Amino acid sequence: MYGFEALTFNIHGGYLEAIVRGYRSGLLTAADYNNLCQCETLDDIKMHLSATEYGPYLQNEPSPLHTTTIVEKCTLKLVDEYKHMLTQATEPLSTFLEYITYGHMIDNVVLIVTGTLHERDVQELLEKCHPLGMFDSIATLAVAQNMRELYRLVLVDTPLAPYFSECITSEDLDDMNIEIMRNTLYKAYLEDFYKFCQKLGGATAEIMSDLLAFEADRRAVNITINSIGTELTRDDRRKLYSNFGLLYPYGHEELAICEDIDQVRGVMEKYPPYQSIFSKLSYGESQMLDKAFYEEEVKRLCLSFEQQFHYAVFFAYMRLREQEIRNLMWISECVAQNQKSRVHDSVVLIF
């Protein structure tokens, strides 16, 4: 019942909520980012990070460092924290935490299938997979020739199985089909997660509905922009949009017929929450759109910590930590490639 979570929430969720709020206090601050942006080498970055919670993970790494090493070790920290929370969680929180990883599973499936299509080495692909999205039979994905085989041989035993019902076809896998598969799976996953959160009710349902609706709308915009000028028909494009969110259903109808970025902008400016995002961009520009969306998402994720006795803080923490790793990757790449002038371009400050 909404408003009465405080009576019973702490019986099972109190310890973990305290843990996740403690983790949140370890996120890098604006001062940390300022220091990192002034680094001259990757070893300088390692030195600055040694004073943060990433210190123990990087301390035994020899010089010269690589960007991939920094990202790998920072991701390992996130994975360790996630596993600690998952082992302590009881239902329904444990299921909620598992839902958070399904997006990474989808990305891993797509990465392996695309890599196999381009004849890349499976072991090399497995190393690039996100550790939160690993499952037992992931290496055997390489043998599948079409969607039906992919499902029958591998995915039927994974949590992604229910999401595959919409995209099982006998068509051979090519780049276009794989991208459609990714978006169809994401649509089914977001809708399923949304229904699960609605079932939980209370503050969790209220806050997660807002966060997932934003994610669904962002994907709708990205699908529209990426499919402009491709052979994807309007109906096919429409089928890839999630059936919830602020843009559902009328915004989706308008996005499905957009032919260029300025038409997308025209549709989005009718919705006040998204007006501020598009006002930051000049006409015809889409390069900075991702950063504008990330900034809006970070703002919403931070706000979820303002309320207590709900599960959205776990989702918010995982997303904020992932954004932090993206920031560190960008800064490290800029330093490694001597592009210091661009270091602030893609960094999204969290607190």
Side-chain angles (χ1 to χ4, degrees), residues 6-255:
L7 289 173
T8 57
F9 183 89
N10 282 349
I11 298 170
H12 295 296
Y15 167 69
L16 277 178
E17 192 187 354
I19 286 284
V20 83
R21 286 176 185 276
Y23 285 159
R24 188 206 82 156
S25 65
L27 289 166
L28 299 179
T29 61
D32 290 322
Y33 283 118
N34 283 336
N35 290 335
L36 288 167
C37 289
Q38 286 162 20
C39 291
E40 295 294 330
T41 65
L42 292 182
D43 285 321
D44 290 351
I45 289 178
K46 176 186 166 184
M47 191 179 74
H48 276 295
L49 289 178
S50 64
T52 68
E53 292 187 0
Y54 292 116
Y57 289 86
L58 287 166
Q59 65 187 14
N60 296 325
E61 290 303 313
S63 296
L65 272 177
H66 296 286
T67 305
T68 45
T69 311
I70 293 175
V71 173
E72 211 175 280
K73 294 299 172 186
C74 294
T75 306
L76 182 62
K77 177 184 187 306
L78 173 66
V79 173
D80 286 349
E81 289 171 348
Y82 172 80
K83 284 179 177 168
H84 174 67
M85 291 191 291
L86 189 62
T87 51
Q88 300 287 337
T90 55
E91 284 294 341
L93 178 54
S94 54
T95 304
F96 181 89
L97 288 172
E98 281 166 7
Y99 264 107
I100 295 173
T101 64
Y102 293 173
H104 293 301
M105 279 189 196
I106 294 169
D107 289 339
N108 285 356
V109 168
V110 172
L111 177 71
I112 299 265
V113 174
T114 311
T116 309
L117 185 68
H118 295 293
E119 298 177 355
R120 302 282 293 279
D121 179 47
V122 178
Q123 202 50 47
E124 186 190 321
L125 293 169
L126 285 172
E127 284 168 15
K128 288 186 176 176
C129 285
H130 197 289
L132 283 178
M134 297 302 263
F135 49 88
D136 293 340
S137 52
I138 193 164
T140 50
L141 284 170
V143 299
Q145 297 298 312
N146 59 39
M147 307 279 188
R148 205 176 289 279
E149 282 185 15
L150 199 64
Y151 178 74
R152 187 172 58 81
L153 297 173
V154 187
L155 297 169
V156 70
D157 294 324
T158 70
L160 300 181
Y163 308 148
F164 251 86
S165 56
E166 281 186 51
C167 57
I168 295 180
T169 62
S170 298
E171 288 178 32
D172 284 350
L173 293 166
D174 59 29
D175 285 338
M176 183 73 159
N177 285 339
I178 290 170
E179 206 47 46
I180 289 171
M181 176 183 82
R182 181 209 294 271
N183 287 303
T184 311
L185 286 174
Y186 246 104
K187 173 191 173 178
Y189 156 61
L190 285 175
E191 287 174 3
D192 190 30
F193 197 4
Y194 184 80
K195 280 180 199 147
F196 177 74
C197 293
Q198 292 297 320
K199 207 163 67 183
L200 290 177
T204 300
E206 183 195 9
I207 298 166
M208 282 305 297
S209 296
D210 178 58
L211 295 175
L212 291 174
F214 178 77
E215 180 67 20
D217 291 344
R218 174 169 62 182
R219 292 196 74 80
V221 172
N222 286 338
I223 288 165
T224 307
I225 292 171
N226 293 337
S227 62
I228 290 169
T230 65
E231 63 215 48
L232 201 68
T233 65
R234 290 173 179 183
D235 286 342
D236 287 343
R237 194 192 280 182
R238 176 77 186 79
K239 282 179 196 160
L240 297 176
Y241 301 151
S242 302
N243 295 326
F244 68 97
L246 191 59
L247 299 176
Y248 176 76
Y250 303 111
H252 289 174
E253 300 295 343
E254 292 186 66
L255 281 177

